[in-house]
Amino acid sequence: VDRAACERADADDPLAGHRDRIALPSGVIYLDGNSLGPLHRDVAERVRQVVEVEWGEGLITSWNASALRPGWVDLPARVAAKLAPWVGADADEIAVVDSTSVDVFKALAAACRLRPDRRVILTDDANFPTDIYVARGLAELLGDREVRVVPTLEVADHLDDDVAVLTLTHVDYRTGRRHDAAGLTAAAHDVGALTVWDLSHSTGALAVDLHAWSADLAVGCTYKYLDGGPGSPAFIYVARRWHDRASTPLQGWFGHEHPFAFAPDYEPAAGAARFLDGTPPVLSLSALDAALGLRADVDPETAEAKARWLTSLFVERVDARLDDEVEVVTPRDPTQRGAQVSLRHPQARAVMSALIERGVIGDHRPPDLLRFGFSPLVVRSVDVFDAVEVLAEVLGTRAWDTPEHRAPRTVT
Amino acid sequence: VDRAACERADADDPLAGHRDRIALPSGVIYLDGNSLGPLHRDVAERVRQVVEVEWGEGLITSWNASALRPGWVDLPARVAAKLAPWVGADADEIAVVDSTSVDVFKALAAACRLRPDRRVILTDDANFPTDIYVARGLAELLGDREVRVVPTLEVADHLDDDVAVLTLTHVDYRTGRRHDAAGLTAAAHDVGALTVWDLSHSTGALAVDLHAWSADLAVGCTYKYLDGGPGSPAFIYVARRWHDRASTPLQGWFGHEHPFAFAPDYEPAAGAARFLDGTPPVLSLSALDAALGLRADVDPETAEAKARWLTSLFVERVDARLDDEVEVVTPRDPTQRGAQVSLRHPQARAVMSALIERGVIGDHRPPDLLRFGFSPLVVRSVDVFDAVEVLAEVLGTRAWDTPEHRAPRTVT
């Protein structure tokens, strides 16, 4: 594949129109949409409206629906409805609320309550660290549960009658490896366990289908492939078959059937909406609402197909240009991975710093991974081609080998 | 007090400069800053910068500190440092995170762990409903705890050796009555119980002094008197003497000592920062940061003195103009109340609707309360004078008695 072929692929890309609405700085190739999605111009305008008009002029009355606009009170439900198709769910199976960490806590607590006689929360060593911290925090609070962390390739072997819930991140944040979610859900159900899937590294880039998986509960992040903005609220999924019995330990007023009745007793709202709790962060939630609105006409299958193409193109170009300087740690079978590719290099942090200096933005994960995300609504084929050329130059000239690039960096 | 006296008071008001920076619509008298504080012009500009420059141009690199600006990673700590003086705390005793509901859960869970052999969470029937829902949710999760709800004037009588934690809202959201926080904290300590104070209806309007109270834990809202914006993050206070032993059940990565090490094991950060958990909502948190920055030069004692003056002026004008049509349910002793005054009227909802139509914005609380907040950095003396005149007109002409005003409203 040469650069002209990439240009032709971009010209034929059904998602190209979305790329044109993104406010990327000139000269930047952005391959970190798996960590923080970029800003769409319409999202900036929506936030401005919410701040200056809804808050500034509407003040407290903006909570109510009016002839001018829908009220903030229903904003979480409106966002849930827009998000649901991206995970193969119905709108009332989704609550957009809190952070992923807090939603993991709520989902695991709900699952444990539905399996009161089983003591194990099973997860793998590829799970995102906060998911494991939170599971242990819940186990310590409950006193009678144990978090069992097993090697990621051996998860199925550890499913047994003690397991209350199997919780995994669908796509490994480091390697990009994708679990067989439908298969593992079925295996969990075979031993009577429930599942809590963390979709943070899938949603928005892959055609996630929670109904097809027969998933029980799930959570996910919205500031990665969904472009919701830094720290935009997470979501929690509760399958319809659990709506009558699933409960949240965080019984807050926004999850009440009638929050503004200020009733003395808690009465859970119907469906997943009971997993709402405190007052939602309206500014952050509105940015997400606008971002989701922009992709209302995108079929998740189209997004996944493009992610597959982009990651395959990247791997092909890496093979062609980089010899043995890096190791592709992401599965080469595109059905086994998400929308990211990770490369191993002993000086990953310094290499990424040199790439960023040249306008190619990915990130690194300790100790030795270069991580590149290929958000299908953001990245073009020419971006992939050009990024590998820059990477080849950085490695070939050892441009990373300076004190500045070797200095510690916090996030990227 | 006539209107000319109010004008003179405004001319002499040391807080008048702040009022001039608020973007209130013309013709509006805003007496609902106790529910949602108004927008300051500098806050709107800060949010625009965060969206368009930090997110739009800086992208993922904005998490890091750089020569251009401090990074988002430390934003919760920077906001905590600005908030701390408003509650009489040190910066490392505060974490700005989640919603008040979620923080109530974390604070009560921490307190229960510090008193493992006591079974009662004691609260009163004047507490904000979500605090009670959350306490019950925690008790159900733990299994061995009981939430005891007692009449608000009898709280001290119910303190005994069974009480693990006393949790109260400092200022009653309905009546505006203020608890004797120092006295009740001492009484709780006398029986070996801890306290969790909800400062949602105090912070920013009163000179809260958690150190002077010998408080243990506290939480509060930032979108009321602190003007942080709709749904801005809440805060949690953990007294220094508990820093070695207090733990959060929501062990998320932002509360880890080294979040970006992605370590397999949880290592709590020092101080209250361990009560951080998921990725913070940067847009909402930045608005709060800007709002707090604007009041960095305000002494909380000055704010409380003005709140006392404004509420006293309102009560005096109500007495002078409204006869027996309404009942003042807020304590007439200014040391016994917060910065709000509530009036009882059987058609409170319709009356408030008619007031809002005339530009006087307060809110109502079912079944029969008109609620007026006197945010000291927002409200002028002439606003108080004029608001009572409008209220007198609405009541005198029964302007509220129309189908439109009697129609249900959700929030205000």
Side-chain angles (χ1 to χ4, degrees), chain B residues 29 115 178 233 264 289 322 360 377:
Chain B
I29 295 176
R115 289 291 178 268
R178 190 200 305 204
D289 186 46
L322 299 186
V360 177
L377 276 66

Side-chain angles (χ1 to χ4, degrees), chain A residues 323-342:
Chain A
D323 303 325
D324 295 333
E325 291 163 281
V326 296
E327 175 197 351
V328 177
V329 302
T330 302
R332 286 172 174 271
D333 174 353
T335 67
Q336 304 267 315
R337 69 183 176 227
Q340 74 176 73
V341 177
S342 298

Side-chain angles (χ1 to χ4, degrees), chain A residues 368-398:
Chain A
D368 57 3
L369 291 185
L370 292 160
R371 210 171 62 143
F372 300 93
F374 300 91
S375 184
L377 277 66
V378 175
V379 179
R380 302 170 303 189
S381 298
V382 292
D383 296 329
V384 175
F385 188 94
D386 294 344
V388 177
E389 293 302 304
V390 175
L391 179 55
E393 180 250 316
V394 163
L395 293 175
T397 63
R398 291 179 65 92

Side-chain angles (χ1 to χ4, degrees), chain A residues 75-123:
Chain A
L75 184 56
R78 294 199 301 278
V79 179
K82 289 175 183 160
L83 196 149
W86 283 93
V87 292
D90 295 328
D92 66 344
E93 294 176 306
I94 299 283
V96 178
V97 57
D98 295 330
S99 62
T100 309
S101 296
V102 175
D103 287 344
V104 166
F105 181 87
K106 294 189 291 190
L108 290 178
C112 285
R113 274 197 196 175
L114 291 166
R115 289 290 178 269
D117 300 328
R118 291 163 169 245
R119 117 194 144 70
V120 172
I121 298 172
L122 181 65
T123 188

Side-chain angles (χ1 to χ4, degrees), chain A residues 23-25 28 30 32 35-39 43-44 47 51-52 55-57 59-61 63-64 72-73 98-99 101-102 105 109 113 128-130 132-134 136-138 140-142 173 223 227-232 249-253 256 260-266 277-284 287 356 361-362 365-366 409-412, chain B residues 23-25 28 30 32 35-39 43-44 47 51-52 55-57 59-61 63-64 72-73 98-99 101-102 105 109 113 128-130 132-134 136-138 140-142 173 223 227-232 249-253 256 260-266 277-284 287 356 361-362 365-366 409-412:
Chain A
L24 278 180
V28 162
Y30 195 58
D32 210 12
S35 190
L36 174 66
L39 172 67
V43 172
V47 174
V51 171
E52 297 182 14
W55 177 17
E57 297 178 16
L59 292 157
I60 187 68
T61 67
W63 281 107
N64 296 309
W72 294 332
V73 158
D98 295 330
S99 62
S101 296
V102 175
F105 181 87
R113 274 197 196 175
F128 193 69
T130 201
I132 298 177
Y133 308 156
V134 167
R136 289 191 179 133
L138 175 67
E140 284 170 28
L141 191 71
L142 297 177
Y173 78 106
Y223 55 75
D227 303 337
S232 58
L250 287 169
Q251 299 179 168
W253 67 321
H256 194 285
F260 293 95
F262 301 95
D265 292 323
Y266 172 70
D277 34 52
T279 309
V282 170
L283 306 190
S284 292
I356 290 172
I361 302 180
R365 285 295 173 259
R409 302 173 65 86
T410 309
V411 181
T412 51
Chain B
L24 278 180
V28 162
Y30 194 59
D32 211 11
S35 190
L36 174 66
L39 172 68
V43 172
V47 175
V51 171
E52 297 182 14
W55 177 16
E57 297 178 17
L59 294 155
I60 187 69
T61 67
W63 281 106
N64 296 309
W72 293 332
V73 159
D98 295 331
S99 62
S101 297
V102 174
F105 182 87
R113 275 196 194 176
F128 193 69
T130 200
I132 299 177
Y133 307 157
V134 167
R136 289 190 178 133
L138 176 67
E140 284 169 28
L141 191 70
L142 297 178
Y173 77 106
Y223 56 76
D227 304 336
S232 58
L250 287 169
Q251 300 179 166
W253 66 321
H256 194 284
F260 292 96
F262 302 95
D265 292 322
Y266 172 71
D277 35 50
T279 309
V282 170
L283 306 190
S284 291
I356 290 172
I361 301 180
R365 286 294 173 262
R409 301 174 66 86
T410 309
V411 180
T412 53

Side-chain angles (χ1 to χ4, degrees), chain A residues 304-324:
Chain A
E304 176 160 342
K306 183 168 173 202
R308 202 178 306 136
W309 156 256
L310 291 172
T311 51
S312 297
L313 175 62
F314 183 78
V315 170
E316 180 187 317
R317 294 300 306 159
V318 165
D319 287 343
R321 296 286 282 123
L322 299 186
D323 303 325
D324 295 333

Side-chain angles (χ1 to χ4, degrees), chain B residues 112-343:
Chain B
C112 285
R113 275 196 194 176
L114 291 166
R115 289 291 178 268
D117 300 328
R118 291 163 170 245
R119 164 185 105 67
V120 173
I121 298 171
L122 181 65
T123 187
D124 70 359
D125 58 5
N127 205 345
F128 193 69
T130 200
D131 294 48
I132 299 177
Y133 307 157
V134 167
R136 289 190 178 133
L138 176 67
E140 284 169 28
L141 191 70
L142 297 178
D144 57 353
R145 308 284 172 146
E146 173 204 333
V147 178
R148 197 171 289 168
V149 183
V150 301
T152 188
L153 298 178
E154 300 169 18
V155 167
D157 304 336
H158 293 268
L159 283 165
D160 60 32
D161 291 352
D162 286 338
V163 177
V165 51
L166 169 65
T167 185
L168 298 168
T169 294
H170 181 213
V171 171
D172 183 331
Y173 77 106
R174 286 173 304 197
T175 66
R177 180 177 174 272
R178 190 200 305 204
H179 277 298
D180 171 11
L184 285 167
T185 299
H189 289 173
D190 282 346
V191 300
L194 302 189
T195 53
V196 173
W197 286 101
D198 183 340
L199 305 170
S200 291
H201 292 270
S202 326
T203 313
L206 304 183
V208 172
D209 193 342
L210 290 166
H211 284 172
W213 300 356
S214 296
D216 300 295
L217 296 120
V219 301
C221 171
T222 68
Y223 56 76
K224 299 178 187 293
Y225 297 111
L226 291 176
D227 304 336
S232 58
F235 67 89
I236 185 165
Y237 164 86
V238 184
R240 183 171 313 287
R241 66 181 175 282
W242 296 118
H243 281 193
D244 288 345
R245 294 166 57 200
S247 60
T248 171
L250 287 169
Q251 300 179 166
W253 66 321
F254 267 73
H256 194 284
E257 179 67 18
H258 304 291
F260 292 96
F262 302 95
D265 292 322
Y266 172 71
E267 180 189 345
R274 71 186 52 174
F275 283 77
L276 300 175
D277 35 50
T279 309
V282 170
L283 306 190
S284 291
L285 188 56
S286 296
L288 172 60
D289 186 46
L292 287 170
L294 290 172
R295 59 168 69 207
D297 63 344
V298 178
D299 180 348
E301 295 282 0
T302 306
E304 176 160 341
K306 183 169 174 200
R308 202 178 304 136
W309 156 257
L310 292 171
T311 52
S312 296
L313 175 63
F314 183 78
V315 171
E316 180 186 318
R317 293 300 305 158
V318 164
D319 286 344
R321 295 286 284 125
L322 299 186
D323 304 326
D324 297 331
E325 293 164 280
V326 297
E327 175 197 351
V328 177
V329 301
T330 302
R332 285 172 174 272
D333 174 352
T335 67
Q336 304 268 315
R337 68 185 176 227
Q340 74 176 72
V341 177
S342 297
L343 307 178

